[in-house]
Amino acid sequence: MRGILASSIGVTCAAALALPLAPPAAASVSSVSSVSSAGTPAPVADVATRTVGTAGARTGARADVPGSTQSLPLRPLTRDRASGAVLGLTPRTVRTFSLLGVVWEDPSVDLHGRVQVRTRAASTGDWTDWQDVETHYTQHGADPDSSEAASGKARGATAPLWVGESDGVEVRVLPEPDAGEPEDVDPVGTGSDEDASGGEGAGEVSTLPAGMRLDLVDPGEAEPGESAGGAEPQAELGESGGPEPQAEPGESGGPEPQAESAEGAEPAEGAEVPRTGVMTAAAKAASAANSALVPLGATQIPSLTAEETREELVALRGTGLTEQQQAKPYIGPRPSIVTRRGWGADESLREKSFVYTSKVKAAFVHHTASGNSYSCSQAPSLIRGFYRYHTKSLGWRDIGYNFLVDKCGRIYEGRAGGVAKPVKGAHTMGFNSKTTGIAVIGSYGSKKPSSKAVKAVARLTAWKLGLHGMNPKKKTSLTSGGGNLYAKGKKVKMKVISGHRDGFNTSCPGGKLHKKLGSVRSKAAGYQGR
């Protein structure tokens, strides 16, 4: 059965709500019953299917769990139709997880309907209220006809939703009322499943994508002794190397997040964090991609002053420069960046090779829309969850974003290949070539981003775009690789710092963050000395 083709209606970037991360707890997938918030016993737990890359994951003790993905097929619901749901899962106990999403077979098919979930906190046993999962995620991903899109591994999916450490889940899918006439076919390829063969409204499932399943992601634990992304950002340096002026009153829309502490004392900015274990070949390759900036195995790339950054740029460009190329460049001071090793990337999940584009002419700003209730010390866990979801659930070659920024202003390396290099991402379908993708962790449709996050995006773009001589206040010409706003091959004038919605019909990066892009452009230009 084929699903309905993706519509070009304006969509949002991802789901908006999340729960605080609960303390670690053990959970089993044995035949036990859970109790819903209404006090009714839940059915016996399904045995979760592990996807590729979960070998070695254990239930029980969490200390040495590297991360895993549980996949549960969604089934037609025939008992309780009061909500209008036709597909889903009844309440069940599962292995602990912290992030979830619904996945289906064909990435070109959109889900015309709503997905709602509720989860049970592992620490308290309490069930949440129903939460909506953003069903439109096709605006992310590789450009059409690219090798990554044509790999045969890509799948359709909702946005990932961060729910905190949980050990129970319930799902319901509600199709749009006008989704079309029922088809006389097996709705989800379940064959002899008795629920699929009959019951009120079972035919309505045929309007939904084929092969729908729920993926539950455990992002894994940080290595012993690993910090959660380094120290809280210190006072930022301006273009001249002096202290950065304080944020304008009211810029953040509320009190600034206070410094979050991980287990144990956090190191000073730029300090090396002891790591255990031997680096794999893939980990060495990812780290070596930054060898022009930091030693092999570094967990953090330290910030530089403006003058140090200019000297580094000359070194990166090499010898034999013309007099014009040797002139003082417009580039912002390099900000501190947590490396993939710093946030605990499992390098075995991604494709081995790196893919580059010719240069970086523009930056697209996103939000992850995974919720704002996380603490900054938890940001590495969120990133590990996004990474596993993108690679193992969606079938991408690596995490889609080139960089991520948390609400405390920390910057993280995203897709592997080197932060100073033009790595090709999968963030803005149709405009991944000659661009970089920056995702601010959180939901910014109705909540303002913190001034620290806005400043971090400005500092990152001033440096990254400055490496390629781009002016943050100007426009540039990009050629569309195909999307729902611009046909493939169309040349488009785009602002050098743009929001996701400028290249694709979506509400990402959220209205509140998109309104801050003017400030990001002017700040970035100032950092460059323009």
Side-chain angles (χ1 to χ4, degrees), residues 309 330-337 360-366 402-403 405 411 419 435-440 453-473 495-499 516-530:
T309 304
Y330 289 106
I331 183 171
R334 188 184 74 191
S336 173
I337 303 172
V360 175
K361 298 175 66 177
F364 281 99
V365 178
H366 305 253
N402 297 101
F403 299 93
V405 175
I411 301 169
V419 296
T435 68
T436 192
I438 302 168
V440 181
V454 172
K455 185 186 295 183
V457 174
R459 295 195 75 225
L460 175 58
T461 51
W463 173 73
K464 183 68 177 180
L465 293 170
L467 289 171
H468 299 271
M470 301 305 296
N471 187 338
K473 286 187 173 181
K495 291 179 179 178
V496 169
I497 298 178
S498 291
K516 290 294 183 181
L517 295 188
S519 175
V520 168
R521 296 180 190 108
S522 60
K523 286 177 182 291
Y527 289 135
Q528 288 188 348
R530 296 183 186 272

Short mmCIF file of all heavy atoms in Angstrom, two decimals, residues 309 330-337 360-366 402-403 405 411 419 435-440 453-473 495-499 516-530:
data_model
loop_
_atom_site.label_atom_id
_atom_site.label_comp_id
_atom_site.label_asym_id
_atom_site.label_seq_id
_atom_site.Cartn_x
_atom_site.Cartn_y
_atom_site.Cartn_z
N THR A 309 42.33 34.13 15.70
CA THR A 309 41.49 33.52 14.66
C THR A 309 41.98 33.92 13.28
O THR A 309 41.99 33.10 12.34
CB THR A 309 40.02 33.95 14.84
OG1 THR A 309 39.58 33.60 16.15
CG2 THR A 309 39.12 33.27 13.82
N TYR A 330 37.60 39.48 7.17
CA TYR A 330 36.42 39.72 8.00
C TYR A 330 35.99 38.37 8.56
O TYR A 330 35.34 37.59 7.87
CB TYR A 330 35.30 40.35 7.18
CG TYR A 330 35.56 41.78 6.78
CD1 TYR A 330 35.90 42.12 5.47
CD2 TYR A 330 35.45 42.81 7.72
CE1 TYR A 330 36.13 43.43 5.11
CE2 TYR A 330 35.69 44.12 7.37
CZ TYR A 330 36.02 44.44 6.06
OH TYR A 330 36.25 45.74 5.72
N ILE A 331 36.38 38.09 9.78
CA ILE A 331 36.02 36.82 10.41
C ILE A 331 35.87 37.04 11.90
O ILE A 331 36.65 37.77 12.52
CB ILE A 331 37.08 35.72 10.12
CG1 ILE A 331 36.65 34.39 10.74
CG2 ILE A 331 38.46 36.13 10.60
CD1 ILE A 331 37.51 33.20 10.32
N GLY A 332 34.84 36.44 12.49
CA GLY A 332 34.63 36.57 13.92
C GLY A 332 35.55 35.67 14.70
O GLY A 332 36.04 34.66 14.19
N PRO A 333 35.81 36.00 15.97
CA PRO A 333 36.63 35.14 16.83
C PRO A 333 36.03 33.73 16.91
O PRO A 333 34.81 33.58 17.02
CB PRO A 333 36.57 35.83 18.19
CG PRO A 333 36.18 37.23 17.91
CD PRO A 333 35.31 37.18 16.70
N ARG A 334 36.89 32.72 16.83
CA ARG A 334 36.38 31.35 16.88
C ARG A 334 35.77 31.07 18.25
O ARG A 334 36.42 31.26 19.27
CB ARG A 334 37.51 30.36 16.61
CG ARG A 334 37.03 28.92 16.45
CD ARG A 334 38.19 27.97 16.29
NE ARG A 334 38.91 27.75 17.53
CZ ARG A 334 40.08 27.13 17.63
NH1 ARG A 334 40.70 26.72 16.54
NH2 ARG A 334 40.65 26.95 18.81
N PRO A 335 34.53 30.60 18.28
CA PRO A 335 33.91 30.26 19.57
C PRO A 335 34.35 28.88 20.04
O PRO A 335 34.85 28.07 19.26
CB PRO A 335 32.41 30.28 19.25
CG PRO A 335 32.36 29.85 17.81
CD PRO A 335 33.60 30.42 17.16
N SER A 336 34.14 28.61 21.31
CA SER A 336 34.39 27.27 21.85
C SER A 336 33.34 26.31 21.30
O SER A 336 32.16 26.65 21.24
CB SER A 336 34.32 27.32 23.37
OG SER A 336 34.41 26.01 23.92
N ILE A 337 33.78 25.12 20.90
CA ILE A 337 32.87 24.12 20.31
C ILE A 337 33.12 22.76 20.96
O ILE A 337 34.26 22.29 20.98
CB ILE A 337 33.07 24.02 18.79
CG1 ILE A 337 32.85 25.38 18.11
CG2 ILE A 337 32.12 22.97 18.19
CD1 ILE A 337 33.23 25.39 16.64
N VAL A 360 30.88 27.35 1.88
CA VAL A 360 29.71 27.68 2.68
C VAL A 360 29.32 29.12 2.37
O VAL A 360 30.02 30.05 2.74
CB VAL A 360 29.96 27.50 4.18
CG1 VAL A 360 28.75 27.97 4.99
CG2 VAL A 360 30.26 26.04 4.50
N LYS A 361 28.18 29.29 1.68
CA LYS A 361 27.71 30.62 1.29
C LYS A 361 26.61 31.14 2.21
O LYS A 361 26.31 32.33 2.20
CB LYS A 361 27.19 30.58 -0.15
CG LYS A 361 28.25 30.20 -1.17
CD LYS A 361 27.65 30.08 -2.56
CE LYS A 361 27.16 31.40 -3.10
NZ LYS A 361 26.64 31.26 -4.50
N ALA A 362 25.99 30.25 2.98
CA ALA A 362 24.87 30.66 3.83
C ALA A 362 24.73 29.70 5.01
O ALA A 362 25.20 28.56 4.96
CB ALA A 362 23.57 30.71 3.03
N ALA A 363 24.06 30.18 6.05
CA ALA A 363 23.75 29.36 7.21
C ALA A 363 22.24 29.34 7.40
O ALA A 363 21.59 30.39 7.35
CB ALA A 363 24.42 29.91 8.46
N PHE A 364 21.66 28.15 7.60
CA PHE A 364 20.24 28.01 7.90
C PHE A 364 20.09 27.70 9.39
O PHE A 364 20.72 26.78 9.91
CB PHE A 364 19.61 26.90 7.06
CG PHE A 364 19.30 27.31 5.65
CD1 PHE A 364 20.16 26.98 4.62
CD2 PHE A 364 18.16 28.05 5.37
CE1 PHE A 364 19.88 27.37 3.31
CE2 PHE A 364 17.88 28.45 4.07
CZ PHE A 364 18.74 28.10 3.04
N VAL A 365 19.23 28.47 10.05
CA VAL A 365 19.00 28.31 11.48
C VAL A 365 17.72 27.51 11.71
O VAL A 365 16.68 27.79 11.08
CB VAL A 365 18.92 29.67 12.19
CG1 VAL A 365 18.64 29.50 13.68
CG2 VAL A 365 20.22 30.45 11.98
N HIS A 366 17.77 26.55 12.60
CA HIS A 366 16.65 25.66 12.92
C HIS A 366 16.40 25.67 14.42
O HIS A 366 17.22 26.16 15.20
CB HIS A 366 16.98 24.21 12.52
CG HIS A 366 17.37 24.03 11.10
ND1 HIS A 366 16.54 23.45 10.18
CD2 HIS A 366 18.51 24.34 10.44
CE1 HIS A 366 17.15 23.40 9.00
NE2 HIS A 366 18.35 23.94 9.14
N ASN A 402 24.80 20.49 11.08
CA ASN A 402 26.24 20.69 11.17
C ASN A 402 26.67 21.13 12.57
O ASN A 402 27.76 20.80 13.04
CB ASN A 402 26.70 21.73 10.15
CG ASN A 402 26.46 21.29 8.72
OD1 ASN A 402 25.50 21.72 8.08
ND2 ASN A 402 27.30 20.40 8.23
N PHE A 403 25.80 21.90 13.23
CA PHE A 403 26.06 22.38 14.58
C PHE A 403 24.77 22.39 15.37
O PHE A 403 23.68 22.51 14.80
CB PHE A 403 26.64 23.80 14.57
CG PHE A 403 27.95 23.95 13.86
CD1 PHE A 403 27.99 24.30 12.51
CD2 PHE A 403 29.15 23.74 14.53
CE1 PHE A 403 29.21 24.43 11.85
CE2 PHE A 403 30.37 23.87 13.87
CZ PHE A 403 30.40 24.22 12.53
N VAL A 405 23.18 24.17 19.22
CA VAL A 405 23.41 25.17 20.26
C VAL A 405 22.38 24.94 21.36
O VAL A 405 21.19 24.82 21.07
CB VAL A 405 23.27 26.60 19.71
CG1 VAL A 405 23.40 27.63 20.83
CG2 VAL A 405 24.30 26.86 18.61
N ILE A 411 28.02 25.49 22.08
CA ILE A 411 27.98 25.09 20.67
C ILE A 411 28.55 23.68 20.56
O ILE A 411 29.59 23.38 21.17
CB ILE A 411 28.79 26.07 19.80
CG1 ILE A 411 28.22 27.49 19.93
CG2 ILE A 411 28.78 25.62 18.34
CD1 ILE A 411 29.10 28.56 19.31
N VAL A 419 34.80 20.88 11.85
CA VAL A 419 33.98 22.07 12.04
C VAL A 419 34.41 23.22 11.13
O VAL A 419 33.61 24.10 10.81
CB VAL A 419 34.01 22.54 13.51
CG1 VAL A 419 33.38 21.49 14.42
CG2 VAL A 419 35.43 22.88 13.96
N THR A 435 25.91 25.28 2.12
CA THR A 435 25.32 25.88 3.33
C THR A 435 25.74 25.08 4.55
O THR A 435 26.27 23.97 4.44
CB THR A 435 23.78 25.91 3.26
OG1 THR A 435 23.27 24.57 3.33
CG2 THR A 435 23.28 26.58 1.99
N THR A 436 25.47 25.65 5.72
CA THR A 436 25.66 24.94 6.98
C THR A 436 24.37 25.04 7.78
O THR A 436 23.65 26.05 7.67
CB THR A 436 26.86 25.52 7.77
OG1 THR A 436 27.19 24.64 8.85
CG2 THR A 436 26.56 26.89 8.33
N GLY A 437 24.05 24.03 8.55
CA GLY A 437 22.80 24.00 9.32
C GLY A 437 23.07 24.07 10.81
O GLY A 437 23.85 23.28 11.34
N ILE A 438 22.43 25.04 11.49
CA ILE A 438 22.62 25.24 12.92
C ILE A 438 21.27 25.07 13.62
O ILE A 438 20.31 25.78 13.30
CB ILE A 438 23.16 26.65 13.21
CG1 ILE A 438 24.49 26.87 12.47
CG2 ILE A 438 23.33 26.88 14.71
CD1 ILE A 438 24.95 28.31 12.46
N ALA A 439 21.17 24.14 14.55
CA ALA A 439 19.93 23.88 15.26
C ALA A 439 20.05 24.33 16.71
O ALA A 439 20.96 23.90 17.42
CB ALA A 439 19.57 22.40 15.21
N VAL A 440 19.13 25.18 17.15
CA VAL A 440 19.07 25.57 18.55
C VAL A 440 18.17 24.54 19.25
O VAL A 440 17.03 24.32 18.84
CB VAL A 440 18.50 26.99 18.72
CG1 VAL A 440 18.46 27.37 20.20
CG2 VAL A 440 19.35 27.99 17.95
N ALA A 453 21.79 31.80 23.74
CA ALA A 453 21.68 31.00 22.52
C ALA A 453 21.78 31.88 21.28
O ALA A 453 22.46 31.54 20.31
CB ALA A 453 20.37 30.22 22.51
N VAL A 454 21.11 33.04 21.30
CA VAL A 454 21.15 33.97 20.17
C VAL A 454 22.58 34.44 19.94
O VAL A 454 23.07 34.49 18.80
CB VAL A 454 20.20 35.16 20.40
CG1 VAL A 454 20.39 36.23 19.33
CG2 VAL A 454 18.75 34.68 20.43
N LYS A 455 23.27 34.78 21.02
CA LYS A 455 24.65 35.26 20.91
C LYS A 455 25.55 34.16 20.37
O LYS A 455 26.45 34.41 19.55
CB LYS A 455 25.16 35.71 22.27
CG LYS A 455 26.55 36.33 22.24
CD LYS A 455 27.06 36.64 23.64
CE LYS A 455 26.22 37.70 24.30
NZ LYS A 455 26.75 38.07 25.66
N ALA A 456 25.32 32.91 20.80
CA ALA A 456 26.13 31.79 20.32
C ALA A 456 25.95 31.58 18.82
O ALA A 456 26.92 31.31 18.11
CB ALA A 456 25.77 30.52 21.09
N VAL A 457 24.72 31.69 18.33
CA VAL A 457 24.48 31.55 16.89
C VAL A 457 25.20 32.66 16.14
O VAL A 457 25.79 32.43 15.07
CB VAL A 457 22.97 31.56 16.59
CG1 VAL A 457 22.72 31.56 15.08
CG2 VAL A 457 22.28 30.35 17.23
N ALA A 458 25.16 33.89 16.68
CA ALA A 458 25.84 35.01 16.03
C ALA A 458 27.35 34.78 15.99
O ALA A 458 28.01 35.01 14.96
CB ALA A 458 25.52 36.31 16.76
N ARG A 459 27.93 34.32 17.09
CA ARG A 459 29.37 34.08 17.13
C ARG A 459 29.76 32.94 16.20
O ARG A 459 30.78 33.01 15.51
CB ARG A 459 29.82 33.75 18.56
CG ARG A 459 29.64 34.90 19.54
CD ARG A 459 30.41 34.65 20.82
NE ARG A 459 31.85 34.86 20.59
CZ ARG A 459 32.81 34.06 21.03
NH1 ARG A 459 32.49 32.96 21.69
NH2 ARG A 459 34.07 34.34 20.80
N LEU A 460 28.94 31.88 16.17
CA LEU A 460 29.24 30.74 15.31
C LEU A 460 29.17 31.13 13.84
O LEU A 460 30.06 30.79 13.04
CB LEU A 460 28.27 29.60 15.61
CG LEU A 460 28.36 28.35 14.72
CD1 LEU A 460 29.76 27.75 14.77
CD2 LEU A 460 27.31 27.32 15.13
N THR A 461 28.13 31.85 13.45
CA THR A 461 27.99 32.24 12.04
C THR A 461 29.06 33.25 11.64
O THR A 461 29.56 33.21 10.51
CB THR A 461 26.59 32.81 11.77
OG1 THR A 461 26.29 33.84 12.72
CG2 THR A 461 25.53 31.72 11.84
N ALA A 462 29.45 34.17 12.56
CA ALA A 462 30.50 35.13 12.24
C ALA A 462 31.80 34.42 11.90
O ALA A 462 32.54 34.81 10.98
CB ALA A 462 30.70 36.09 13.41
N TRP A 463 32.10 33.35 12.66
CA TRP A 463 33.32 32.58 12.40
C TRP A 463 33.17 31.67 11.18
O TRP A 463 34.00 31.72 10.26
CB TRP A 463 33.66 31.75 13.64
CG TRP A 463 34.80 30.80 13.43
CD1 TRP A 463 36.13 31.12 13.32
CD2 TRP A 463 34.71 29.38 13.28
NE1 TRP A 463 36.87 29.98 13.12
CE2 TRP A 463 36.03 28.90 13.09
CE3 TRP A 463 33.66 28.47 13.29
CZ2 TRP A 463 36.32 27.54 12.93
CZ3 TRP A 463 33.93 27.12 13.13
CH2 TRP A 463 35.25 26.66 12.94
N LYS A 464 32.12 30.87 11.15
CA LYS A 464 31.96 29.88 10.08
C LYS A 464 31.81 30.55 8.72
O LYS A 464 32.45 30.14 7.74
CB LYS A 464 30.75 28.99 10.38
CG LYS A 464 30.52 27.86 9.37
CD LYS A 464 31.61 26.82 9.42
CE LYS A 464 31.32 25.66 8.46
NZ LYS A 464 32.36 24.63 8.49
N LEU A 465 30.98 31.58 8.63
CA LEU A 465 30.80 32.27 7.35
C LEU A 465 32.04 33.09 7.01
O LEU A 465 32.38 33.25 5.83
CB LEU A 465 29.58 33.18 7.42
CG LEU A 465 28.23 32.45 7.55
CD1 LEU A 465 27.11 33.45 7.86
CD2 LEU A 465 27.91 31.66 6.29
N GLY A 466 32.73 33.59 8.05
CA GLY A 466 33.96 34.35 7.81
C GLY A 466 35.06 33.51 7.20
O GLY A 466 35.91 34.02 6.46
N LEU A 467 35.06 32.20 7.49
CA LEU A 467 36.04 31.30 6.85
C LEU A 467 35.92 31.32 5.34
O LEU A 467 36.87 31.03 4.63
CB LEU A 467 35.83 29.87 7.36
CG LEU A 467 36.21 29.56 8.81
CD1 LEU A 467 35.74 28.16 9.20
CD2 LEU A 467 37.72 29.70 9.02
N HIS A 468 34.72 31.68 4.86
CA HIS A 468 34.45 31.67 3.41
C HIS A 468 34.18 33.07 2.86
O HIS A 468 33.66 33.22 1.76
CB HIS A 468 33.28 30.73 3.11
CG HIS A 468 33.55 29.31 3.51
ND1 HIS A 468 34.13 28.40 2.66
CD2 HIS A 468 33.36 28.66 4.68
CE1 HIS A 468 34.27 27.24 3.28
NE2 HIS A 468 33.81 27.37 4.51
N GLY A 469 34.52 34.09 3.66
CA GLY A 469 34.41 35.46 3.18
C GLY A 469 33.00 35.97 3.00
O GLY A 469 32.77 36.92 2.23
N MET A 470 32.03 35.41 3.73
CA MET A 470 30.64 35.80 3.56
C MET A 470 30.24 36.87 4.57
O MET A 470 30.59 36.79 5.74
CB MET A 470 29.71 34.59 3.69
CG MET A 470 29.99 33.48 2.68
SD MET A 470 29.95 34.04 0.95
CE MET A 470 28.23 34.55 0.79
N ASN A 471 29.47 37.86 4.10
CA ASN A 471 28.98 38.96 4.92
C ASN A 471 27.60 38.61 5.49
O ASN A 471 26.65 38.43 4.73
CB ASN A 471 28.89 40.23 4.08
CG ASN A 471 28.54 41.47 4.90
OD1 ASN A 471 27.98 41.38 5.99
ND2 ASN A 471 28.87 42.63 4.37
N PRO A 472 27.46 38.52 6.82
CA PRO A 472 26.18 38.13 7.41
C PRO A 472 25.02 39.06 7.10
O PRO A 472 23.86 38.66 7.23
CB PRO A 472 26.47 38.13 8.92
CG PRO A 472 27.95 37.97 9.02
CD PRO A 472 28.51 38.70 7.84
N LYS A 473 25.30 40.28 6.69
CA LYS A 473 24.23 41.24 6.40
C LYS A 473 23.76 41.20 4.95
O LYS A 473 22.77 41.85 4.60
CB LYS A 473 24.70 42.66 6.73
CG LYS A 473 24.78 42.98 8.21
CD LYS A 473 25.10 44.45 8.42
CE LYS A 473 25.01 44.83 9.89
NZ LYS A 473 25.29 46.29 10.09
N LYS A 495 19.15 35.30 2.08
CA LYS A 495 19.97 35.97 3.07
C LYS A 495 21.07 35.02 3.55
O LYS A 495 20.83 33.81 3.71
CB LYS A 495 19.12 36.44 4.25
CG LYS A 495 18.16 37.57 3.87
CD LYS A 495 17.31 38.00 5.06
CE LYS A 495 16.39 39.15 4.66
NZ LYS A 495 15.51 39.59 5.78
N VAL A 496 22.25 35.57 3.76
CA VAL A 496 23.39 34.74 4.15
C VAL A 496 23.11 34.01 5.47
O VAL A 496 23.57 32.88 5.65
CB VAL A 496 24.67 35.61 4.24
CG1 VAL A 496 25.81 34.85 4.90
CG2 VAL A 496 25.09 36.07 2.84
N ILE A 497 22.37 34.63 6.37
CA ILE A 497 21.86 33.93 7.55
C ILE A 497 20.34 33.87 7.41
O ILE A 497 19.66 34.89 7.49
CB ILE A 497 22.25 34.64 8.86
CG1 ILE A 497 23.77 34.68 9.01
CG2 ILE A 497 21.63 33.92 10.06
CD1 ILE A 497 24.26 35.40 10.25
N SER A 498 19.81 32.69 7.15
CA SER A 498 18.39 32.49 6.90
C SER A 498 17.80 31.51 7.90
O SER A 498 18.52 30.73 8.53
CB SER A 498 18.15 31.96 5.48
OG SER A 498 18.44 32.93 4.50
N GLY A 499 16.48 31.55 8.03
CA GLY A 499 15.78 30.54 8.81
C GLY A 499 15.38 29.40 7.91
O GLY A 499 15.29 29.55 6.68
N LYS A 516 14.53 36.72 15.80
CA LYS A 516 15.83 37.10 16.33
C LYS A 516 16.93 37.08 15.27
O LYS A 516 18.07 37.47 15.54
CB LYS A 516 16.22 36.16 17.47
CG LYS A 516 15.40 36.33 18.74
CD LYS A 516 15.67 37.68 19.38
CE LYS A 516 14.92 37.84 20.69
NZ LYS A 516 15.17 39.18 21.28
N LEU A 517 16.62 36.62 14.06
CA LEU A 517 17.66 36.48 13.05
C LEU A 517 18.22 37.82 12.59
O LEU A 517 19.39 37.92 12.20
CB LEU A 517 17.15 35.67 11.86
CG LEU A 517 16.80 34.20 12.16
CD1 LEU A 517 16.49 33.46 10.88
CD2 LEU A 517 17.93 33.52 12.92
N GLY A 518 17.40 38.88 12.65
CA GLY A 518 17.91 40.20 12.33
C GLY A 518 19.01 40.60 13.30
O GLY A 518 20.06 41.14 12.91
N SER A 519 18.78 40.32 14.59
CA SER A 519 19.78 40.59 15.61
C SER A 519 21.01 39.72 15.41
O SER A 519 22.15 40.17 15.58
CB SER A 519 19.19 40.34 17.00
OG SER A 519 20.16 40.49 18.02
N VAL A 520 20.81 38.46 15.03
CA VAL A 520 21.93 37.55 14.77
C VAL A 520 22.79 38.11 13.64
O VAL A 520 24.03 38.12 13.73
CB VAL A 520 21.42 36.14 14.41
CG1 VAL A 520 22.55 35.27 13.86
CG2 VAL A 520 20.80 35.47 15.63
N ARG A 521 22.17 38.59 12.57
CA ARG A 521 22.93 39.13 11.43
C ARG A 521 23.78 40.33 11.83
O ARG A 521 24.96 40.42 11.46
CB ARG A 521 21.97 39.49 10.29
CG ARG A 521 21.23 38.31 9.71
CD ARG A 521 20.28 38.72 8.58
NE ARG A 521 19.43 37.61 8.20
CZ ARG A 521 18.12 37.53 8.48
NH1 ARG A 521 17.52 38.53 9.13
NH2 ARG A 521 17.43 36.48 8.12
N SER A 522 23.18 41.26 12.56
CA SER A 522 23.92 42.47 12.93
C SER A 522 25.03 42.15 13.92
O SER A 522 26.14 42.68 13.82
CB SER A 522 22.97 43.52 13.51
OG SER A 522 22.31 43.03 14.67
N LYS A 523 24.77 41.25 14.88
CA LYS A 523 25.80 40.86 15.83
C LYS A 523 26.94 40.13 15.12
O LYS A 523 28.13 40.38 15.40
CB LYS A 523 25.20 39.94 16.91
CG LYS A 523 24.32 40.63 17.94
CD LYS A 523 23.74 39.60 18.90
CE LYS A 523 22.81 40.23 19.92
NZ LYS A 523 23.53 41.07 20.88
N ALA A 524 26.59 39.22 14.20
CA ALA A 524 27.62 38.46 13.48
C ALA A 524 28.49 39.40 12.66
O ALA A 524 29.72 39.24 12.60
CB ALA A 524 26.96 37.40 12.60
N ALA A 525 27.88 40.38 12.00
CA ALA A 525 28.65 41.34 11.22
C ALA A 525 29.58 42.14 12.13
O ALA A 525 30.74 42.43 11.77
CB ALA A 525 27.71 42.27 10.47
N GLY A 526 29.09 42.50 13.32
CA GLY A 526 29.93 43.21 14.27
C GLY A 526 31.11 42.39 14.72
O GLY A 526 32.24 42.89 14.83
N TYR A 527 30.88 41.09 14.99
CA TYR A 527 31.98 40.22 15.37
C TYR A 527 33.03 40.12 14.26
O TYR A 527 34.22 39.97 14.52
CB TYR A 527 31.46 38.82 15.69
CG TYR A 527 30.68 38.72 16.98
CD1 TYR A 527 29.48 38.01 17.03
CD2 TYR A 527 31.14 39.30 18.15
CE1 TYR A 527 28.76 37.89 18.22
CE2 TYR A 527 30.43 39.20 19.33
CZ TYR A 527 29.24 38.50 19.35
OH TYR A 527 28.54 38.40 20.52
N GLN A 528 32.58 40.22 13.01
CA GLN A 528 33.50 40.16 11.88
C GLN A 528 34.25 41.48 11.67
O GLN A 528 35.17 41.55 10.86
CB GLN A 528 32.75 39.81 10.59
CG GLN A 528 32.29 38.37 10.50
CD GLN A 528 31.74 38.03 9.13
OE1 GLN A 528 31.49 38.91 8.31
NE2 GLN A 528 31.55 36.75 8.86
N GLY A 529 33.83 42.52 12.38
CA GLY A 529 34.48 43.81 12.23
C GLY A 529 33.95 44.62 11.07
O GLY A 529 34.62 45.52 10.54
N ARG A 530 32.72 44.34 10.66
CA ARG A 530 32.11 45.07 9.55
C ARG A 530 31.33 46.27 10.07
O ARG A 530 30.80 46.25 11.16
CB ARG A 530 31.18 44.15 8.75
CG ARG A 530 31.92 43.00 8.07
CD ARG A 530 30.96 42.16 7.25
NE ARG A 530 31.59 40.97 6.69
CZ ARG A 530 32.24 40.93 5.51
NH1 ARG A 530 32.32 42.02 4.78
NH2 ARG A 530 32.77 39.81 5.10
#
